Amino acid sequence: LMLGAGLTALTARRVTAYAPGTGLDIVQINRPGDASVNSYILEGRDSLVLIDGQRTGVEARQVTALARGLGKPVEAIVLSHE
């Protein structure tokens, strides 16, 4: 999965950590380096849940763009820490 060229270096990968037939895909987005941050997009059959939105506005917009590219509505955004 590609994120904004020329912007902060984030990497994204699909994670298959679910039982077959559950209809859930997990996209992990990672900002490597000091003070690294992980974000997740939980992709269900009909909608998405975003978990943690990265550290900066630029990175959060990249996560948002990736979620929008999946073509499903966002049902919830979860921030696990301040």
Side-chain angles (χ1 to χ4, degrees):
L1 301 169
M2 298 295 292
L3 298 177
L7 299 176
T8 304
L10 299 178
T11 59
R13 65 184 179 96
R14 287 202 182 273
V15 179
T16 54
Y18 61 92
T22 61
L24 177 67
D25 282 328
I26 302 169
V27 177
Q28 178 186 25
I29 303 152
N30 177 263
R31 176 182 170 256
D34 292 337
S36 65
V37 176
N38 289 303
S39 297
Y40 297 90
I41 300 173
L42 307 181
E43 181 181 5
R45 288 187 183 111
D46 301 318
S47 62
L48 308 172
V49 173
L50 278 61
I51 301 176
D52 294 331
Q54 291 294 312
R55 192 169 302 281
T56 69
V58 169
E59 294 163 348
R61 285 188 286 281
Q62 290 179 56
V63 172
T64 301
L66 180 59
R68 285 184 177 154
L70 296 174
K72 297 176 183 177
V74 174
E75 290 288 330
I77 300 172
V78 177
L79 300 177
S80 67
H81 44 83
E82 298 177 33

